Amino acid sequence: MTSFRLAIIDDYQQVASDYAPWDSLLDDGVKVSVFSAPFVSEEQAVAALAPFDIIVAMRERTRFPRRVLESLTNLKLLVTTGMANAAIDLEAASERGVLVSGTGGSPAAAPEMTWALLLAFARNLVMEENSLRAGDWQTAVGFELEGKTLGIVGLGKIGKRIAGYAKAFGMDVLAWSQNLAAEAAEEAGARKVTKEELFRESDVVTLHLRLSDRTEGIVGSEELRLLGPEGVLINTARGPLVDEAALIRALEEGWIRGAAMDVFDEEPLPAGHALLHSSRTVLSPHIGYVTHESYRQFYGGAFEDVKAWLEGAPIRALND
């Protein structure tokens, strides 16, 4: 029987085995290894993963640019959770003869996380819980969402759900993206505006764009100043959509009321990072997709991808 080595990487919570029967792959001649700690560099990732024929990656936790893929000479199958992964160079994978397969995912996890962060920020939940545990009682005053204006940058599948949540909370909804049509915005319960208008008129702006050369740094000093001293920025999409240096300055100098974030330029967020010390933030460690429902689809789908490839009938291929 042909023998393969499979690496499940970035299993931070050490739960991959709870969502798929990986041990059963021994019957197919596959030895499975699990890596729970993040790789601190590309060199460390290459050194650890060089022996493996199959890698199961969790979202963009580990990057696979051309230089990494060219160093993984044994790699034949790379499975990513989800059906898109900006951290994988698909062209380089194809040139190396590496098949990249994806999985399904939960449509509810990320938008629910977005709304959780917004509510936590609006009602000072983190601050109030910490003060309560310290023996204090009612130390801050929150704000309500009803009657406020929500600006959505990127009205795709997630953005449309967010628009629905906002309408249910009695908010007015604005939307903008480079290719957004007025009719599509109206169908989602939003009003299409210019980027400048969105940041100037919104009380809260939430980002729901894919990261690309066109969208990197799409929120910078100009947009943050337009958002104003009472404005709130929510980012559960990708950290580099926001100019981090500009955001830190905005928080320190009070250009905006604050930010609630689940994603960062560097992940895990380094100890001592300026965002960790800002009193104007609510932060979470990129857990927008970390739910039982999502993991069942991610790890279950990854297992299906591996089995299909072993049987010579690959599924959900993302490259040629």
Side-chain angles (χ1 to χ4, degrees), residues 133-186:
R133 291 180 184 276
D136 295 321
W137 190 262
Q138 294 189 10
T139 58
V141 179
F143 65 88
E144 298 174 7
L145 300 184
E146 184 169 2
K148 301 293 194 301
T149 297
L150 178 71
I152 303 175
V153 178
L155 200 62
K157 292 180 180 178
I158 294 176
K160 289 176 181 177
R161 282 187 177 243
I162 295 299
Y165 297 169
K167 300 301 286 186
F169 274 73
M171 303 183 78
D172 293 324
V173 184
L174 307 179
W176 174 85
S177 65
Q178 290 99 328
N179 300 317
L180 178 63
E183 296 79 8
E186 185 176 355

Side-chain angles (χ1 to χ4, degrees), residues 66 69-70 89-99 319-320:
R66 177 178 293 274
L69 290 168
E70 289 178 346
D89 188 330
L90 293 178
E91 182 178 351
S94 295
E95 292 174 8
R96 288 274 303 113
V98 176
L99 178 68
N319 63 339
D320 299 327

Side-chain angles (χ1 to χ4, degrees), residues 18-319:
D18 295 340
Y19 296 99
W22 298 105
D23 288 346
S24 69
L25 291 176
L26 280 173
D27 296 335
D28 298 298
V30 179
K31 181 180 179 182
V32 178
S33 300
V34 178
F35 295 83
S36 57
F39 300 115
V40 299
S41 66
E42 289 182 358
E43 292 74 17
Q44 185 189 48
V46 168
L49 299 177
F52 291 92
D53 308 278
I54 306 167
I55 297 173
V56 174
M58 175 56 72
R59 305 305 299 124
E60 289 100 0
R61 291 177 181 176
T62 294
R63 298 186 59 79
F64 290 90
R66 177 178 293 274
R67 57 186 172 271
V68 169
L69 290 168
E70 289 178 346
S71 298
L72 299 177
T73 56
N74 289 323
L75 185 61
K76 301 173 181 64
L77 174 65
L78 175 57
V79 178
T80 175
T81 51
M83 288 300 288
N85 189 325
I88 297 175
D89 188 330
L90 293 178
E91 182 178 351
S94 295
E95 292 174 8
R96 288 274 303 113
V98 176
L99 178 68
V100 182
S101 290
T103 74
S106 168
E112 288 183 5
M113 184 66 196
T114 301
W115 213 252
L117 282 173
L118 174 52
L119 288 172
F121 188 96
R123 302 307 292 269
N124 302 299
L125 288 185
V126 176
M127 181 191 305
E128 292 288 18
E129 181 188 11
N130 289 339
S131 65
L132 178 62
R133 291 180 184 276
D136 295 321
W137 190 262
Q138 294 189 10
T139 58
V141 179
F143 65 88
E144 298 174 7
L145 300 184
E146 184 169 2
K148 301 293 194 301
T149 297
L150 178 71
I152 303 175
V153 178
L155 200 62
K157 292 180 180 178
I158 294 176
K160 289 176 181 177
R161 282 187 177 243
I162 295 299
Y165 297 169
K167 300 301 286 186
F169 274 73
M171 303 183 78
D172 293 324
V173 184
L174 307 179
W176 174 85
S177 65
Q178 290 99 328
N179 300 317
L180 178 63
E183 296 79 8
E186 185 176 355
E187 289 176 4
R191 175 168 59 91
K192 179 190 175 184
V193 294
T194 66
K195 182 183 178 184
E196 180 179 325
E197 289 170 333
L198 183 139
F199 278 88
R200 186 192 305 115
E201 298 177 20
S202 296
D203 299 292
V204 179
V205 171
T206 179
L207 309 181
H208 301 288
L209 294 172
R210 286 187 178 181
L211 181 62
S212 68
D213 291 340
R214 188 170 65 163
T215 61
E216 184 172 357
I218 203 164
V219 178
S221 297
E222 180 180 353
E223 290 76 20
L224 293 169
R225 287 190 182 276
L226 285 171
L227 187 53
E230 297 301 314
V232 179
L233 181 71
I234 312 292
N235 188 6
T236 58
R238 291 294 180 270
L241 294 173
V242 181
D243 180 333
E244 186 179 85
L247 175 61
I248 291 171
R249 185 179 176 192
L251 294 168
E252 291 176 345
E253 299 183 7
W255 302 356
I256 61 175
R257 184 196 293 258
M261 306 172 64
D262 186 47
V263 291
F264 309 92
D265 281 13
E266 183 180 353
E267 297 180 4
L269 193 63
H273 194 282
L275 289 172
L276 293 171
H277 299 294
S278 174
S279 62
R280 297 177 181 268
T281 58
V282 172
L283 308 176
S284 55
H286 203 157
I287 55 173
Y289 58 86
V290 182
T291 66
H292 289 297
E293 293 81 0
S294 182
Y295 271 23
R296 287 188 191 104
Q297 294 195 55
F298 281 169
Y299 283 122
F303 181 83
E304 292 172 355
D305 288 347
V306 172
K307 287 287 287 186
W309 181 80
L310 291 170
E311 294 167 0
I315 57 175
R316 294 189 286 262
L318 302 180
N319 63 339

